[in-house]
mmCIF file of all heavy atoms in Angstrom:
data_model
loop_
_atom_site.group_PDB
_atom_site.id
_atom_site.type_symbol
_atom_site.label_atom_id
_atom_site.label_comp_id
_atom_site.label_asym_id
_atom_site.label_seq_id
_atom_site.Cartn_x
_atom_site.Cartn_y
_atom_site.Cartn_z
ATOM 1 N N ILE A 155 117.383 84.472 99.334
ATOM 2 C CA ILE A 155 117.466 85.515 100.345
ATOM 3 C C ILE A 155 116.252 86.414 100.191
ATOM 4 O O ILE A 155 115.887 86.788 99.071
ATOM 5 C CB ILE A 155 118.744 86.348 100.178
ATOM 6 C CG1 ILE A 155 119.989 85.488 100.375
ATOM 7 C CG2 ILE A 155 118.763 87.534 101.140
ATOM 8 C CD1 ILE A 155 121.260 86.171 99.905
ATOM 9 N N LEU A 156 115.610 86.754 101.296
ATOM 10 C CA LEU A 156 114.527 87.732 101.281
ATOM 11 C C LEU A 156 115.083 89.036 101.843
ATOM 12 O O LEU A 156 115.470 89.097 103.009
ATOM 13 C CB LEU A 156 113.346 87.253 102.114
ATOM 14 C CG LEU A 156 112.662 85.972 101.639
ATOM 15 C CD1 LEU A 156 111.528 85.599 102.576
ATOM 16 C CD2 LEU A 156 112.150 86.112 100.214
ATOM 17 N N ALA A 157 115.159 90.057 101.007
ATOM 18 C CA ALA A 157 115.794 91.320 101.388
ATOM 19 C C ALA A 157 114.783 92.457 101.359
ATOM 20 O O ALA A 157 113.993 92.585 100.418
ATOM 21 C CB ALA A 157 116.951 91.636 100.439
ATOM 22 N N GLY A 158 114.814 93.285 102.408
ATOM 23 C CA GLY A 158 113.967 94.471 102.452
ATOM 24 C C GLY A 158 114.665 95.632 101.762
ATOM 25 O O GLY A 158 115.806 95.957 102.076
ATOM 26 N N VAL A 159 113.997 96.246 100.803
ATOM 27 C CA VAL A 159 114.557 97.363 100.035
ATOM 28 C C VAL A 159 113.742 98.608 100.338
ATOM 29 O O VAL A 159 112.530 98.643 100.096
ATOM 30 C CB VAL A 159 114.527 97.075 98.521
ATOM 31 C CG1 VAL A 159 115.281 98.164 97.764
ATOM 32 C CG2 VAL A 159 115.116 95.711 98.214
ATOM 33 N N ARG A 160 114.384 99.638 100.872
ATOM 34 C CA ARG A 160 113.675 100.872 101.226
ATOM 35 C C ARG A 160 113.497 101.756 99.996
ATOM 36 O O ARG A 160 114.410 101.915 99.189
ATOM 37 C CB ARG A 160 114.442 101.638 102.304
ATOM 38 C CG ARG A 160 114.546 100.905 103.632
ATOM 39 C CD ARG A 160 115.087 101.819 104.703
ATOM 40 N NE ARG A 160 115.376 101.111 105.938
ATOM 41 C CZ ARG A 160 114.478 100.813 106.860
ATOM 42 N NH1 ARG A 160 113.219 101.167 106.677
ATOM 43 N NH2 ARG A 160 114.826 100.175 107.964
ATOM 44 N N ASP A 161 112.322 102.351 99.898
ATOM 45 C CA ASP A 161 112.012 103.324 98.854
ATOM 46 C C ASP A 161 111.771 104.657 99.563
ATOM 47 O O ASP A 161 110.710 104.880 100.133
ATOM 48 C CB ASP A 161 110.781 102.897 98.061
ATOM 49 C CG ASP A 161 110.531 103.765 96.841
ATOM 50 O OD1 ASP A 161 110.851 104.978 96.896
ATOM 51 O OD2 ASP A 161 110.017 103.249 95.835
ATOM 52 N N SER A 162 112.778 105.532 99.557
ATOM 53 C CA SER A 162 112.681 106.795 100.301
ATOM 54 C C SER A 162 111.593 107.708 99.751
ATOM 55 O O SER A 162 110.985 108.477 100.494
ATOM 56 C CB SER A 162 114.031 107.520 100.282
ATOM 57 O OG SER A 162 114.451 107.763 98.948
ATOM 58 N N ALA A 163 111.340 107.631 98.446
ATOM 59 C CA ALA A 163 110.326 108.496 97.849
ATOM 60 C C ALA A 163 108.933 108.152 98.373
ATOM 61 O O ALA A 163 108.114 109.030 98.628
ATOM 62 C CB ALA A 163 110.365 108.379 96.327
ATOM 63 N N LEU A 164 108.676 106.837 98.562
ATOM 64 C CA LEU A 164 107.365 106.395 99.025
ATOM 65 C C LEU A 164 107.340 106.153 100.525
ATOM 66 O O LEU A 164 106.286 105.855 101.094
ATOM 67 C CB LEU A 164 106.965 105.100 98.302
ATOM 68 C CG LEU A 164 106.801 105.203 96.786
ATOM 69 C CD1 LEU A 164 106.480 103.832 96.206
ATOM 70 C CD2 LEU A 164 105.715 106.201 96.417
ATOM 71 N N GLU A 165 108.516 106.286 101.186
ATOM 72 C CA GLU A 165 108.646 106.037 102.623
ATOM 73 C C GLU A 165 108.090 104.669 102.994
ATOM 74 O O GLU A 165 107.324 104.514 103.944
ATOM 75 C CB GLU A 165 107.963 107.138 103.434
ATOM 76 C CG GLU A 165 108.620 108.501 103.294
ATOM 77 C CD GLU A 165 108.062 109.512 104.279
ATOM 78 O OE1 GLU A 165 107.073 109.191 104.949
ATOM 79 O OE2 GLU A 165 108.638 110.610 104.375
ATOM 80 N N ARG A 166 108.518 103.658 102.251
ATOM 81 C CA ARG A 166 108.096 102.296 102.540
ATOM 82 C C ARG A 166 109.197 101.342 102.089
ATOM 83 O O ARG A 166 110.173 101.744 101.476
ATOM 84 C CB ARG A 166 106.782 101.953 101.831
ATOM 85 C CG ARG A 166 106.827 102.091 100.324
ATOM 86 C CD ARG A 166 105.509 101.729 99.681
ATOM 87 N NE ARG A 166 105.180 100.326 99.900
ATOM 88 C CZ ARG A 166 104.035 99.784 99.498
ATOM 89 N NH1 ARG A 166 103.118 100.521 98.909
ATOM 90 N NH2 ARG A 166 103.789 98.501 99.695
ATOM 91 N N SER A 167 109.043 100.079 102.426
ATOM 92 C CA SER A 167 109.994 99.057 102.021
ATOM 93 C C SER A 167 109.255 97.984 101.233
ATOM 94 O O SER A 167 108.091 97.693 101.496
ATOM 95 C CB SER A 167 110.677 98.422 103.240
ATOM 96 O OG SER A 167 111.358 99.385 104.004
ATOM 97 N N ARG A 168 109.947 97.403 100.293
ATOM 98 C CA ARG A 168 109.412 96.248 99.579
ATOM 99 C C ARG A 168 110.362 95.079 99.801
ATOM 100 O O ARG A 168 111.480 95.261 100.258
ATOM 101 C CB ARG A 168 109.276 96.546 98.080
ATOM 102 C CG ARG A 168 110.593 96.729 97.354
ATOM 103 C CD ARG A 168 110.402 97.049 95.889
ATOM 104 N NE ARG A 168 111.665 97.092 95.164
ATOM 105 C CZ ARG A 168 112.480 98.137 95.118
ATOM 106 N NH1 ARG A 168 112.147 99.256 95.768
ATOM 107 N NH2 ARG A 168 113.613 98.082 94.450
ATOM 108 N N ILE A 169 109.915 93.892 99.496
ATOM 109 C CA ILE A 169 110.734 92.710 99.701
ATOM 110 C C ILE A 169 111.100 92.095 98.354
ATOM 111 O O ILE A 169 110.241 91.919 97.486
ATOM 112 C CB ILE A 169 109.999 91.688 100.580
ATOM 113 C CG1 ILE A 169 109.781 92.282 101.974
ATOM 114 C CG2 ILE A 169 110.776 90.383 100.677
ATOM 115 C CD1 ILE A 169 108.988 91.394 102.906
ATOM 116 N N GLU A 170 112.380 91.801 98.192
ATOM 117 C CA GLU A 170 112.869 91.132 96.986
ATOM 118 C C GLU A 170 113.403 89.757 97.361
ATOM 119 O O GLU A 170 114.098 89.605 98.366
ATOM 120 C CB GLU A 170 113.978 91.944 96.306
ATOM 121 C CG GLU A 170 113.493 93.251 95.696
ATOM 122 C CD GLU A 170 114.586 93.971 94.929
ATOM 123 O OE1 GLU A 170 115.769 93.553 95.031
ATOM 124 O OE2 GLU A 170 114.274 94.945 94.222
ATOM 125 N N CYS A 171 113.064 88.764 96.557
ATOM 126 C CA CYS A 171 113.600 87.419 96.712
ATOM 127 C C CYS A 171 114.776 87.274 95.752
ATOM 128 O O CYS A 171 114.607 87.387 94.537
ATOM 129 C CB CYS A 171 112.525 86.375 96.417
ATOM 130 S SG CYS A 171 113.107 84.672 96.574
ATOM 131 N N LEU A 172 115.992 87.053 96.304
ATOM 132 C CA LEU A 172 117.212 86.983 95.510
ATOM 133 C C LEU A 172 117.816 85.585 95.591
ATOM 134 O O LEU A 172 117.685 84.891 96.610
ATOM 135 C CB LEU A 172 118.249 87.996 96.017
ATOM 136 C CG LEU A 172 117.805 89.446 96.186
ATOM 137 C CD1 LEU A 172 118.939 90.264 96.790
ATOM 138 C CD2 LEU A 172 117.365 90.040 94.850
ATOM 139 N N ALA A 173 118.514 85.179 94.522
ATOM 140 C CA ALA A 173 119.275 83.938 94.546
ATOM 141 C C ALA A 173 120.537 84.169 95.370
ATOM 142 O O ALA A 173 121.300 85.093 95.092
ATOM 143 C CB ALA A 173 119.637 83.507 93.128
ATOM 144 N N ALA A 174 120.761 83.356 96.397
ATOM 145 C CA ALA A 174 121.918 83.546 97.270
ATOM 146 C C ALA A 174 123.230 83.379 96.512
ATOM 147 O O ALA A 174 124.223 84.032 96.823
ATOM 148 C CB ALA A 174 121.850 82.567 98.440
ATOM 149 N N ALA A 175 123.259 82.522 95.522
ATOM 150 C CA ALA A 175 124.502 82.240 94.801
ATOM 151 C C ALA A 175 124.905 83.349 93.843
ATOM 152 O O ALA A 175 126.099 83.570 93.610
ATOM 153 C CB ALA A 175 124.374 80.923 94.039
ATOM 154 N N SER A 176 123.925 84.088 93.309
ATOM 155 C CA SER A 176 124.230 85.065 92.262
ATOM 156 C C SER A 176 123.710 86.468 92.527
ATOM 157 O O SER A 176 124.145 87.431 91.881
ATOM 158 C CB SER A 176 123.652 84.586 90.928
ATOM 159 O OG SER A 176 122.224 84.531 90.998
ATOM 160 N N GLY A 177 122.771 86.628 93.457
ATOM 161 C CA GLY A 177 122.144 87.926 93.699
ATOM 162 C C GLY A 177 121.069 88.268 92.695
ATOM 163 O O GLY A 177 120.481 89.345 92.735
ATOM 164 N N GLU A 178 120.793 87.351 91.778
ATOM 165 C CA GLU A 178 119.779 87.597 90.748
ATOM 166 C C GLU A 178 118.391 87.710 91.371
ATOM 167 O O GLU A 178 118.041 86.965 92.287
ATOM 168 C CB GLU A 178 119.794 86.449 89.736
ATOM 169 C CG GLU A 178 118.757 86.573 88.634
ATOM 170 C CD GLU A 178 118.756 85.374 87.700
ATOM 171 O OE1 GLU A 178 119.603 84.484 87.891
ATOM 172 O OE2 GLU A 178 117.895 85.339 86.804
ATOM 173 N N LEU A 179 117.603 88.673 90.879
ATOM 174 C CA LEU A 179 116.235 88.853 91.358
ATOM 175 C C LEU A 179 115.364 87.714 90.853
ATOM 176 O O LEU A 179 115.231 87.497 89.657
ATOM 177 C CB LEU A 179 115.678 90.190 90.870
ATOM 178 C CG LEU A 179 114.217 90.483 91.238
ATOM 179 C CD1 LEU A 179 114.049 90.594 92.750
ATOM 180 C CD2 LEU A 179 113.735 91.755 90.554
ATOM 181 N N ILE A 180 114.784 86.975 91.784
ATOM 182 C CA ILE A 180 113.873 85.887 91.438
ATOM 183 C C ILE A 180 112.436 86.374 91.419
ATOM 184 O O ILE A 180 111.661 86.050 90.527
ATOM 185 C CB ILE A 180 114.023 84.726 92.434
ATOM 186 C CG1 ILE A 180 115.439 84.142 92.358
ATOM 187 C CG2 ILE A 180 112.989 83.644 92.169
ATOM 188 C CD1 ILE A 180 115.711 83.085 93.406
ATOM 189 N N GLU A 181 112.108 87.201 92.426
ATOM 190 C CA GLU A 181 110.722 87.658 92.555
ATOM 191 C C GLU A 181 110.667 88.943 93.357
ATOM 192 O O GLU A 181 111.355 89.072 94.370
ATOM 193 C CB GLU A 181 109.895 86.570 93.259
ATOM 194 C CG GLU A 181 108.437 86.904 93.461
ATOM 195 C CD GLU A 181 107.694 85.830 94.233
ATOM 196 O OE1 GLU A 181 108.347 84.878 94.717
ATOM 197 O OE2 GLU A 181 106.464 85.952 94.362
ATOM 198 N N ALA A 182 109.890 89.904 92.889
ATOM 199 C CA ALA A 182 109.597 91.111 93.664
ATOM 200 C C ALA A 182 108.261 90.881 94.358
ATOM 201 O O ALA A 182 107.237 90.671 93.701
ATOM 202 C CB ALA A 182 109.527 92.329 92.752
ATOM 203 N N ILE A 183 108.290 90.877 95.689
ATOM 204 C CA ILE A 183 107.099 90.561 96.470
ATOM 205 C C ILE A 183 106.463 91.861 96.942
ATOM 206 O O ILE A 183 107.119 92.673 97.594
ATOM 207 C CB ILE A 183 107.471 89.674 97.671
ATOM 208 C CG1 ILE A 183 108.165 88.402 97.176
ATOM 209 C CG2 ILE A 183 106.232 89.320 98.487
ATOM 210 C CD1 ILE A 183 108.741 87.552 98.276
ATOM 211 N N GLY A 184 105.216 92.062 96.612
ATOM 212 C CA GLY A 184 104.542 93.322 96.913
ATOM 213 C C GLY A 184 104.081 93.424 98.343
ATOM 214 O O GLY A 184 102.875 93.564 98.622
ATOM 215 N N ILE A 185 105.014 93.337 99.281
ATOM 216 C CA ILE A 185 104.703 93.398 100.712
ATOM 217 C C ILE A 185 105.530 94.512 101.323
ATOM 218 O O ILE A 185 106.731 94.606 101.090
ATOM 219 C CB ILE A 185 105.019 92.058 101.402
ATOM 220 C CG1 ILE A 185 104.111 90.951 100.850
ATOM 221 C CG2 ILE A 185 104.849 92.180 102.902
ATOM 222 C CD1 ILE A 185 104.456 89.578 101.375
ATOM 223 N N ASP A 186 104.888 95.372 102.112
ATOM 224 C CA ASP A 186 105.567 96.486 102.764
ATOM 225 C C ASP A 186 106.017 96.060 104.156
ATOM 226 O O ASP A 186 105.227 95.535 104.931
ATOM 227 C CB ASP A 186 104.607 97.679 102.864
ATOM 228 C CG ASP A 186 105.268 98.899 103.495
ATOM 229 O OD1 ASP A 186 106.515 98.941 103.536
ATOM 230 O OD2 ASP A 186 104.541 99.798 103.933
ATOM 231 N N GLY A 187 107.305 96.288 104.478
ATOM 232 C CA GLY A 187 107.797 95.972 105.809
ATOM 233 C C GLY A 187 109.185 95.378 105.790
ATOM 234 O O GLY A 187 109.785 95.187 104.736
ATOM 235 N N VAL A 188 109.695 95.084 106.974
ATOM 236 C CA VAL A 188 111.015 94.493 107.145
ATOM 237 C C VAL A 188 110.855 92.988 107.319
ATOM 238 O O VAL A 188 110.122 92.545 108.218
ATOM 239 C CB VAL A 188 111.714 95.090 108.384
ATOM 240 C CG1 VAL A 188 113.057 94.412 108.625
ATOM 241 C CG2 VAL A 188 111.889 96.598 108.212
ATOM 242 N N PRO A 189 111.498 92.160 106.495
ATOM 243 C CA PRO A 189 111.345 90.707 106.641
ATOM 244 C C PRO A 189 111.925 90.217 107.962
ATOM 245 O O PRO A 189 113.033 90.587 108.347
ATOM 246 C CB PRO A 189 112.117 90.145 105.438
ATOM 247 C CG PRO A 189 113.111 91.210 105.087
ATOM 248 C CD PRO A 189 112.429 92.512 105.405
ATOM 249 N N VAL A 190 111.160 89.371 108.657
ATOM 250 C CA VAL A 190 111.561 88.867 109.974
ATOM 251 C C VAL A 190 111.794 87.359 109.946
ATOM 252 O O VAL A 190 112.774 86.859 110.490
ATOM 253 C CB VAL A 190 110.481 89.199 111.029
ATOM 254 C CG1 VAL A 190 110.785 88.518 112.362
ATOM 255 C CG2 VAL A 190 110.370 90.708 111.209
#
């Protein structure tokens, strides 16, 4: 799953790649925006 996570302090979003079966973080992707 590619999930957009908002950071209110920085007023931006980052994208996290999660395992659909467990929710475990696989990769933090340094991209700002909402995944489409």
Side-chain angles (χ1 to χ4, degrees):
I155 297 166
L156 297 179
V159 188
R160 296 190 188 278
D161 188 328
S162 58
L164 297 177
E165 294 189 352
R166 58 179 296 176
S167 301
R168 67 181 186 277
I169 296 176
E170 292 185 350
C171 180
L172 308 176
S176 64
E178 179 183 357
L179 177 64
I180 297 174
E181 180 183 6
I183 303 172
I185 296 174
D186 182 18
V188 176
V190 172

